[in-house]
Amino acid sequence: MKKNKTKTIQVNYLARVEGEGSLRVKIKGQKVSEVALKIFEPPRFFEAFLRGRHFTEAPDITARICGICPIAYELGASYAMEQACGVKVTGPIRDLRRLIYCGEWIESHALHVFMLHAPDFLGYEDAIHMAKDHASLVERGLRIKKIGNNIMRLLGGREIHPINLRVGGFYKVPLKKELEGLLDDLKWGRDAALQTLHWLATLTYPDFDQEYEFVAMRHPDEYAIIEGQLVSNKGLDIPIREYDRHFVEEHVERSTALHTIMKGRGPCHVGPLARYSLNFDRLPSFVQGAAREAGLESTCQNPFKSIMVRMVEILYAFDEAVRLIDRYQMPDRPFVEVHPKAGTGYGCTEAPRGICYHRYSINDAGLIVDAKIVPPTAVNQKTIEKDLWDFVAPRVDLPNDKLQWQCEQAVRNYDPCISCSTHFLKLDVIRE
Amino acid sequence: MAKVRKPKLAVWKFASCDGCQLSLLECEDELLALANNIEIAYFPEASRKVVKGPYDLSLVEGSITTAHDVKRIHEVRKSSRALVTIGACATAGGIQALRNFKDVKEFMSIVYATPKFISTLEKSTPISDHVYVDFELRGCPINKEQLLEVINAFLNGRKPNVSPHSVCMECKARGVVCVMVAHGTPCLGPVTQAGCGAICPAYHRGCYGCFGPKETPHTRSLSAQMKKLGASEADLVRVYRTFNAGSEAFQKESFLHEKK
Ligand code: SF4
Ligand code: SF4
């Protein structure tokens, strides 16, 4: 090959990610000269049309930002409204919120691990082709996913855009007996997750440890899902309400999704790797042991191993669900009454793909006057681009089709949910 | 025996949340059986494989909101024998049709620092505004049993068995107590098409109309009843303007309650 030829890898429609986007990698001679992740999901303007809506409508409306992780939106909005109105939800209602979130983690992580990401490691185009040779693996994955969805359905009414969540709690809460009906499956799921983790440990992962600033929520006594401080491995430790003082969104021409960076510090990394690395000590010791046995340390900086970390989180979610059901006592009322009060409220929860931030201002009549929502993909975009620079550099000599597939995989490490960056993926490798 | 060619299925996305196409992947018990009987020829959310058209059945999710997508939907129609829209976005413009009632330029400046980077149409429109649609499946999101029924019907050349009656009928069939009569909870059930299984009333809340208007909905009488229950004109405007705001019946009714 002639030196100084530019080659471009262009994936015009990146598959097995949710939403629409494209990726262009330019290689000039032996050097990467450009990496551009472009999101061309048509803008949907949620933050604009939330203005003038009643504060109680925010959970149902924002759920429609993303069909994969509606709970992140329903709960983020609820927490923000409750904070604005000076209400705190505790006890069994709070436990049920964690429980339905466990359902979303299980369902979403299982979709990613078994159907979107594992085919890359085994060299298949998709899970259905993979099922021809690995039937029991795919069947196990589907069953794990289904159990997550069963939690969603029992507590939320349906898997996608659950109808039972409201500001202050739920419309209807389950009987203990109904929840106990889930237990056998949850215990099976715990074993199945462990078994899958052992299998994942046998796969080959590229050597690719990266220096990240990990950002996740942290809670004094739980593995954070719904509440906590925002912390990082580089000294950030703030309450959610200070988010806007530390994070900014940039609008770049190539993308309808805004890019989030940390003020004065640059890109950061949110999602399972960040959660795990910042909260390893909050995992039950048997989950820690299982992770170590699979070869993970207490922090994980290799994005390709996110598939293992997701499995650790599935294991945790099954275990946590069992714990929450065991201690559940049906509350007298399914929700706490919330009366509107003019002010601003902040909410942040750990969506499967990372922190999902909400800020709303409402008036005395309970109408929304301003809304800001930052989905996890917006935060990770810059980090994904940075990973690609570093990943492609030592691989410039690979044939285009191979390089393309590997780059796609590097993007899929993030399980980027592009529809949620509110605002589809394709890959180009251009060689000059 | 001669090898039978499997019908080719394609799944397309326009402006949407991905929830309706995800419904297909949520069919955990049926997915592998389905894959044995059809060829998933184009479904980027699930596979990187792309098999060229024409496709026997195209499922289309999402609404049309950009000039580029106007062109793209015509190409999808050309390469599809049957085209079925899935969900409120594709059949009524979706939640993003809320822009149709406002100035989209103002929306752009609220969300984006540099609106000139954004290209978008003033209105979010359903697929049937642009091309011929063989069947519209309702819901935000669609119901997965109904989706399997529609795929089955189209692949076997029959009409899908999807009823146009109201959510009320499903409440009666399930034995759910009417939330409006018993608890005075405002409910769009009487004017909303069935299909969800009357989930909301079963969970003690009123229907918010995510399946869109039923056949011949009597929105006027329902609005009158909701007013009796305390709804203001402004509340009524918002009630009809959610995920199916762009549907003719709900849009018309919403205008009736808007302050002149
Ligand atoms: S109809 Fe609802 S669930 Fe379906 S794609 Fe649109 S917003 Fe998502
Ligand atoms: S009852 Fe109404 S709002 Fe609730 S899921 Fe059914 S159609 Fe949608």
Side-chain angles (χ1 to χ4, degrees):
Chain A
M1 205 197 317
K2 264 213 318 250
K3 274 233 162 125
N4 285 332
K5 252 190 106 210
T6 303
K7 70 174 184 183
T8 307
I9 294 193
Q10 174 113 15
V11 174
N12 282 324
Y13 191 138
L14 195 64
R16 280 188 272 128
V17 297
E18 297 100 21
E20 297 184 80
S22 77
L23 174 65
R24 192 171 62 214
V25 175
K26 260 195 190 169
I27 300 169
K28 202 165 188 171
Q30 295 302 104
K31 276 215 170 81
V32 184
S33 61
E34 187 195 329
V35 173
L37 182 66
K38 179 175 170 184
I39 289 184
F40 52 90
E41 178 79 14
R44 295 169 70 209
F45 304 115
F46 275 85
E47 289 147 316
F49 59 63
L50 277 162
R51 293 187 178 189
R53 306 295 303 206
H54 198 249
F55 78 108
T56 53
E57 295 173 81
D60 289 330
I61 291 179
T62 54
R64 269 67 183 184
I65 292 175
C66 174
I68 330 284
C69 48
I71 298 293
Y73 293 94
E74 296 193 11
L75 281 182
S78 300
Y79 273 111
M81 297 309 179
E82 288 155 16
Q83 196 188 62
C85 304
V87 166
K88 203 150 170 59
V89 172
T90 55
I93 303 177
R94 179 180 189 277
D95 278 3
L96 290 175
R97 285 184 162 176
R98 266 181 87 79
L99 182 59
I100 194 167
Y101 225 137
C102 287
E104 180 157 291
W105 274 21
I106 295 169
E107 161 275 306
S108 170
H109 277 350
L111 174 75
H112 188 256
V113 167
F114 293 96
M115 310 201 62
L116 310 181
H117 213 188
D120 277 330
F121 286 91
L122 300 182
Y124 295 91
E125 309 265 8
D126 55 54
I128 288 159
H129 286 87
M130 188 170 83
K132 293 199 177 83
D133 305 319
H134 300 272
S136 63
L137 177 71
V138 175
E139 281 160 14
R140 193 201 304 150
L142 288 169
R143 185 164 165 204
I144 291 177
K145 181 166 164 295
K146 187 176 167 184
I147 299 170
N149 275 333
N150 288 346
I151 302 177
M152 300 274 285
R153 206 166 42 246
L154 176 61
L155 284 176
R158 65 180 165 198
E159 304 85 331
I160 302 167
H161 306 329
I163 52 89
N164 191 30
L165 283 76
R166 58 181 284 172
V167 176
F170 294 83
Y171 288 91
K172 183 185 171 188
V173 288
L175 301 168
K176 175 130 180 151
K177 209 171 63 210
E178 290 175 283
L179 290 180
E180 283 171 344
L182 296 168
L183 283 174
D184 286 349
D185 269 347
L186 292 171
K187 290 174 184 164
W188 175 88
R190 209 162 45 182
D191 295 342
L194 206 54
Q195 193 188 351
T196 311
L197 188 57
H198 291 318
W199 171 74
L200 286 169
T202 65
L203 299 179
T204 344
Y205 298 91
D207 265 327
F208 191 67
D209 275 16
Q210 294 284 88
E211 258 302 315
Y212 295 120
E213 176 150 9
F214 282 136
V215 174
M217 295 207 310
R218 184 165 167 89
H219 188 273
D221 30 56
E222 337 170 295
Y223 194 71
I225 305 179
I226 49 175
E227 282 172 77
Q229 290 266 115
L230 268 183
V231 303
S232 88
N233 53 335
K234 298 197 174 155
L236 182 83
D237 190 353
I238 56 162
I240 307 302
R241 73 183 122 78
E242 282 174 24
Y243 180 97
D244 293 314
R245 278 174 44 193
H246 297 268
F247 296 82
V248 287
E249 297 182 282
E250 291 177 345
H251 186 188
V252 291
E253 184 158 7
R254 61 176 175 281
S255 185
T256 51
L258 300 167
H259 284 194
T260 299
I261 56 165
M262 290 175 82
K263 274 186 202 166
R265 300 158 79 143
C268 60
H269 180 128
V270 303
L273 286 195
R275 274 194 300 258
Y276 173 89
S277 301
L278 292 165
N279 294 294
F280 183 80
D281 59 333
R282 296 282 184 269
L283 287 168
S285 59
F286 100 94
V287 178
Q288 291 181 355
R292 289 204 190 272
E293 223 176 290
L296 291 168
E297 315 271 340
S298 59
T299 59
C300 177
Q301 285 163 299
N302 183 342
F304 289 86
K305 291 190 176 161
S306 63
I307 191 170
M308 289 170 78
V309 173
R310 282 192 179 87
M311 202 35 92
V312 171
E313 288 200 332
I314 294 182
L315 177 64
Y316 171 72
F318 275 121
D319 187 64
E320 177 68 1
V322 171
R323 190 183 72 89
L324 291 167
I325 293 175
D326 281 341
R327 75 173 196 202
Y328 177 69
Q329 296 291 341
M330 194 174 160
D332 299 333
R333 296 197 59 199
F335 59 90
V336 183
E337 202 75 61
V338 184
H339 299 288
K341 221 168 89 192
T344 301
Y346 306 82
C348 187
T349 65
E350 285 283 352
R353 290 149 196 82
I355 53 165
C356 180
Y357 169 73
H358 296 242
R359 183 195 75 208
Y360 304 92
S361 299
I362 62 173
N363 65 19
D364 273 323
L367 297 180
I368 299 171
V369 294
D370 179 63
K372 175 173 177 176
I373 303 165
V374 186
T377 301
V379 185
N380 276 339
Q381 275 182 100
K382 272 242 157 38
T383 303
I384 300 176
E385 286 185 348
K386 166 87 175 44
D387 272 8
L388 284 159
W389 278 101
D390 298 346
F391 184 74
V392 175
R395 292 171 176 81
V396 289
D397 290 327
L398 281 176
N400 273 16
D401 54 338
K402 253 198 148 144
L403 186 58
Q404 177 179 329
W405 194 335
Q406 292 196 13
C407 287
E408 286 177 40
Q409 187 179 349
V411 177
R412 275 194 288 273
N413 287 332
Y414 288 82
D415 190 7
C417 186
I418 294 166
S419 61
C420 89
S421 32
T422 27
H423 301 293
F424 225 20
L425 227 57
K426 287 180 167 187
L427 176 74
D428 267 345
V429 179
I430 304 165
R431 298 189 196 250
E432 277 181 350
Chain B
M1 214 172 79
K3 206 164 170 239
V4 189
R5 186 184 73 89
K6 284 193 205 170
K8 286 203 247 176
L9 177 79
V11 182
W12 309 92
K13 174 192 159 70
F14 291 84
S16 67
C17 84
D18 285 55
C20 286
Q21 53 175 316
L22 182 68
S23 300
L24 196 55
L25 299 177
E26 303 284 46
C27 299
E28 291 101 1
D29 294 333
E30 300 86 3
L31 191 64
L32 296 177
L34 190 71
N36 284 332
N37 293 292
I38 57 169
E39 179 179 10
I40 299 182
Y42 183 81
F43 186 5
E45 186 172 302
S47 178
R48 62 193 301 279
K49 192 177 90 172
V50 175
V51 180
K52 278 216 190 97
Y55 307 99
D56 296 279
L57 175 61
S58 276
L59 300 175
V60 178
E61 171 193 275
S63 67
I64 304 297
T65 59
T66 65
H68 170 73
D69 281 352
V70 172
K71 286 202 197 100
R72 198 158 63 92
I73 190 61
H74 284 276
E75 284 157 22
V76 169
R77 179 68 258 189
K78 263 187 243 144
S79 64
S80 317
R81 295 217 162 82
L83 187 156
V84 169
T85 63
I86 52 172
C89 293
T91 64
I95 184 78
Q96 46 283 357
L98 289 176
R99 73 174 67 179
N100 302 6
F101 304 90
K102 289 262 166 47
D103 176 7
V104 78
K105 287 198 198 76
E106 185 195 317
F107 270 24
M108 270 196 286
S109 66
I110 291 174
V111 181
Y112 297 100
T114 324
K116 71 173 196 301
F117 294 165
I118 301 292
S119 86
T120 188
L121 297 171
E122 269 169 46
K123 295 211 180 330
S124 165
T125 43
I127 303 300
S128 63
D129 274 16
H130 303 269
V131 295
Y132 176 75
V133 171
D134 293 88
F135 187 78
E136 296 185 321
L137 186 62
R138 307 287 204 79
C140 177
I142 54 171
N143 169 300
K144 64 184 187 189
E145 277 80 33
Q146 285 198 327
L147 175 63
L148 289 172
E149 162 59 21
V150 168
I151 295 177
N152 208 328
F154 270 90
L155 298 179
N156 289 294
R158 60 174 177 82
K159 237 186 112 216
N161 182 12
V162 171
S163 314
H165 58 230
S166 73
V167 169
C168 294
M169 307 281 277
E170 291 190 305
C171 270
K172 305 296 167 278
R174 272 183 82 156
V176 170
V177 173
C178 178
V179 295
M180 197 145 59
V181 172
H183 309 294
T185 308
C187 179
L188 278 185
V191 298
T192 300
Q193 180 169 308
C196 69
I199 320 177
C200 293
Y203 279 77
H204 304 170
R205 75 178 283 192
C207 169
Y208 58 86
C210 74
F211 273 61
K214 71 181 267 278
E215 211 176 49
T216 62
H218 220 291
T219 49
R220 295 298 293 278
S221 355
L222 182 67
S223 299
Q225 181 62 23
M226 291 213 262
K227 268 191 177 162
K228 273 191 207 154
L229 293 172
S232 70
E233 292 286 318
D235 292 340
L236 286 171
V237 173
R238 290 201 318 274
V239 160
Y240 290 104
R241 283 188 195 163
T242 59
F243 314 103
N244 289 278
S247 70
E248 204 192 327
F250 286 3
Q251 185 170 317
K252 264 189 168 157
E253 186 66 28
S254 78
F255 282 131
L256 289 176
H257 303 280
E258 216 164 31
K259 270 206 214 93
K260 302 289 144 7

